Amino acid sequence: MLDWSLVTDDSEITIAIPRAVQRELDRLKDGGNSRRSSRARKACSTFAKIIESEDNRLKIQSKRQSLTVELLMKRVRPEDFPDLDLQSSDDQIVAEAISVMSDRDAEQVTFLSNDTAALTTAKAQGLPFKRLPQEWMLPPEKDERDKTIDELRKKVERLSSQQPELTFATPELTDNRVSTEVTFFPALTDDEVEMLMREIEDQFPMEAYFPQEEPKQRRTNAFDLATRIANLQQWQPASASAIRRYQEEAYPNWLLSIRSELKNFHLRLSGEVLATFSLVIDNGGQQPATNLLVSCLAEGQIIFGIPTPAKSGGDESDDETPWLTAPPEPPAGKYMNIVERMSGMNGYADLLAAHLERHIPVTMPAWASTAHDPNSFYWKPRRPATEESRWQLECEEFRHQHEPYSLEIVFRPDSLEAETVNGVIRCQANASNLPERLEKVIPVRIRVVRGDTCEKVREAVFRLR
């Protein structure tokens, strides 16, 4: 059963059991049902097989080596070992080992023991020896006190299994702490707004040329000409009223809109100041957590941002939404169907459709807005619409061993004047059938970096192009 390669590299090994060891094992086999007595009985049954064999040997093939077990039967005489006290079991075992070494001078004999006194005697007698490898040792056998503790521990586990077992986890954080960097973009000064307005007007000037003649490429295309004739199409240049509305209303109003957006542009960049991580709450117990209340507190120099609502699959991402209003399209001529222009049917149809869309109510089931899932989390009393220092969510019944709930924690420095801010986010969970409140404290350290608002505006203008 043991790995003998830890003792020797020999492929063939003979294990000789001294008479003193035989007697001790025979004495221990009647010690009840302890681990020591059961192993002693097993060893003595092996000894019985050896005694019944013809050559007093038992051969065993292990994974790496061939083992032969034999019982030493030769009695040693005190006069042969004047330096040893054969009344002592340790000295008797050493004497038997020396006797084996004398009888088998062609073989390497090594005394194996974990008894310091016996090893000392062996060394004094010039007997080669080795301590037992640590890997051979069994852990100490549990006494009655240990068994009582195990029974009590199992009883506590059985009682605990009748309750929810809630845990908080922060899979994105290292060492359960936040150390991050945010970028603060200051508001544009009046001089910066005027400079950027000049740049925007240079890139998007007001259109001043509105051709009245039909495009030449359309006149020279025979296929397009045949199509226009078949569809009774006629070239209609931009009207004077459309040009006037563009130059006197649409374009000047667009410039006013851009100026207003520049003054508030730093607010659009507030997301750069926010830091986020996911807080995951799980129930690994055998019972659901009833009337669960989860609280998150921002302490120190930090504050929670506005929680991000879940986006549907059709929502447009922020990267695709322009941060500045696009300039108005200048009026241009177009080809129109003569019959439609005279009858005005298209305009009437569009007007009718718009009227119906405004006045026909959108119907939906009455329960759609009031459905309440007892296993889902809801904000208490409602989703925060402003920056706050406390978030609270509730769940009527948080199911056990089910899908964990993940909450995105959004926060920022409470003050953007300092270069470094510190704080903690304290997460707590209470339930009516939870014996103790669950709490997790997450230290926060944020470095505030100043960003270039003008450069961000120029990026937004480039996207308009």
Side-chain angles (χ1 to χ4, degrees):
M1 296 172 61
L2 301 177
D3 183 4
W4 285 88
S5 65
L6 298 173
V7 176
T8 177
D9 294 331
D10 294 344
S11 59
E12 295 185 0
I13 304 171
T14 298
I15 306 168
I17 312 296
R19 292 174 61 87
V21 176
Q22 298 172 35
R23 288 194 300 270
E24 181 68 8
L25 288 172
D26 191 65
R27 184 184 67 81
L28 293 175
K29 69 180 182 180
D30 297 324
N33 293 322
S34 66
R35 181 179 68 183
R36 184 173 61 178
S37 60
S38 64
R39 295 176 71 88
R41 284 193 293 271
K42 187 175 181 179
C44 289
S45 66
T46 302
F47 295 167
K49 295 179 182 179
I50 297 174
I51 294 174
E52 294 172 358
S53 65
E54 295 182 358
D55 57 354
N56 191 35
R57 291 170 175 263
L58 178 65
K59 293 186 179 297
I60 303 172
Q61 185 66 41
S62 67
K63 294 182 179 179
R64 300 185 181 92
Q65 292 149 318
S66 176
L67 306 179
T68 300
V69 184
E70 68 174 65
L71 301 178
L72 295 182
M73 296 184 178
K74 179 181 177 181
R75 297 179 64 88
V76 293
R77 295 179 300 179
E79 57 269 22
D80 294 335
F81 301 94
D83 296 335
L84 299 177
D85 179 11
L86 298 189
Q87 299 298 317
S88 167
S89 297
D90 289 343
D91 284 17
Q92 183 180 352
I93 293 173
V94 171
E96 290 187 68
I98 295 175
S99 177
V100 171
M101 186 171 60
S102 300
D103 295 342
R104 309 179 189 183
D105 55 358
E107 299 180 5
Q108 172 67 36
V109 176
T110 303
F111 173 50
L112 298 179
S113 177
N114 208 39
D115 191 323
T116 300
L119 294 175
T120 302
T121 302
K123 185 174 182 179
Q125 296 296 317
L127 175 66
F129 65 89
K130 284 187 178 181
R131 276 194 178 272
L132 300 182
Q134 190 63 34
E135 291 83 352
W136 287 9
M137 303 302 176
L138 290 174
E141 187 176 11
K142 294 182 179 180
D143 56 17
E144 292 301 320
R145 179 174 175 272
D146 295 328
K147 294 177 181 178
T148 302
I149 293 175
D150 286 344
E151 291 177 0
L152 292 175
R153 183 180 292 110
K154 291 178 181 178
K155 185 176 181 180
V156 170
E157 290 176 354
R158 286 195 300 270
L159 293 175
S160 300
S161 65
Q162 304 303 315
Q163 300 167 349
E165 295 182 10
L166 301 182
T167 57
F168 282 130
T170 51
E172 303 167 3
L173 302 184
T174 303
D175 299 331
N176 189 41
R177 62 179 61 245
V178 177
S179 181
T180 187
E181 179 180 286
V182 298
T183 305
F184 165 62
F185 290 91
L188 295 170
T189 64
D190 291 341
D191 291 341
E192 289 173 332
V193 170
E194 294 302 326
M195 175 189 66
L196 292 170
M197 286 298 299
R198 289 193 295 271
E199 293 180 9
I200 293 173
E201 287 188 62
D202 288 342
Q203 294 189 49
F204 302 97
M206 182 175 64
E207 186 63 55
Y209 176 68
F210 304 93
Q212 298 296 308
E213 65 276 5
E214 180 181 359
K216 295 181 179 180
Q217 60 178 2
R218 293 295 299 268
R219 287 204 304 264
T220 57
N221 190 315
F223 178 77
D224 288 345
L225 179 61
T227 302
R228 292 199 305 273
I229 295 174
N231 294 329
L232 298 177
Q233 289 185 343
Q234 183 179 5
W235 169 255
Q236 179 70 33
S239 65
S241 59
I243 296 174
R244 184 171 57 255
R245 282 194 301 271
Y246 165 74
Q247 293 181 329
E248 298 178 4
E249 298 179 15
Y251 189 84
N253 289 340
W254 173 70
L255 292 179
L256 292 175
S257 176
I258 289 294
R259 183 179 295 273
S260 176
E261 291 173 1
L262 291 181
K263 292 181 178 180
N264 297 301
F265 197 83
H266 64 288
L267 301 178
R268 295 293 303 269
L269 300 171
S270 60
E272 303 285 343
V273 185
L274 296 174
T276 65
F277 69 88
S278 295
L279 177 70
V280 179
I281 180 169
D282 192 14
N283 181 7
Q286 300 298 320
Q287 295 293 329
T290 56
N291 300 321
L292 175 62
L293 178 65
V294 177
S295 303
C296 296
L297 306 175
E299 302 176 356
Q301 301 171 299
I302 58 176
I303 190 171
F304 291 129
I306 301 174
T308 305
K311 293 184 179 182
S312 61
D315 286 348
E316 188 179 26
S317 66
D318 292 338
D319 291 338
E320 298 174 352
T321 304
W323 284 28
L324 292 173
T325 302
E329 291 288 339
K334 58 182 177 179
Y335 290 94
M336 297 188 62
N337 187 286
I338 299 175
V339 176
E340 290 181 354
R341 184 161 58 90
M342 294 177 61
S343 62
M345 288 300 295
N346 280 351
Y348 178 76
D350 293 341
L351 180 63
L352 178 62
H355 178 79
L356 292 176
E357 185 177 351
R358 287 195 303 269
H359 290 83
I360 295 179
V362 179
T363 60
M364 64 173 60
W367 50 264
S369 60
T370 60
H372 181 84
D373 183 358
N375 304 127
S376 296
F377 281 81
Y378 296 90
W379 290 97
K380 182 181 181 180
R382 64 186 64 86
R383 177 186 294 273
T386 59
E387 296 179 328
E388 300 179 4
S389 60
R390 176 190 291 268
W391 282 0
Q392 283 192 319
L393 297 97
E394 57 185 351
C395 177
E396 185 176 327
E397 188 175 77
F398 184 41
R399 287 184 286 180
H400 61 287
Q401 298 182 356
H402 192 62
E403 189 74 20
Y405 177 75
S406 180
L407 173 66
E408 184 182 34
I409 304 293
V410 183
F411 59 99
R412 70 166 180 84
D414 192 13
S415 173
L416 297 171
E417 300 299 326
E419 292 185 359
T420 304
V421 298
N422 297 279
V424 297
I425 296 177
R426 191 180 303 274
C427 306
Q428 300 173 341
N430 296 274
S432 58
N433 60 339
L434 194 66
E436 296 181 354
R437 179 180 66 185
L438 175 67
E439 182 172 272
K440 187 179 185 70
V441 178
I442 304 168
V444 175
R445 182 180 179 87
I446 306 176
R447 180 170 176 264
V448 182
V449 179
R450 194 177 184 88
D452 189 341
T453 310
C454 287
E455 188 60 31
K456 284 290 185 179
V457 172
R458 292 187 176 99
E459 292 178 7
V461 172
F462 179 80
R463 290 170 61 182
L464 288 181
R465 298 173 58 185

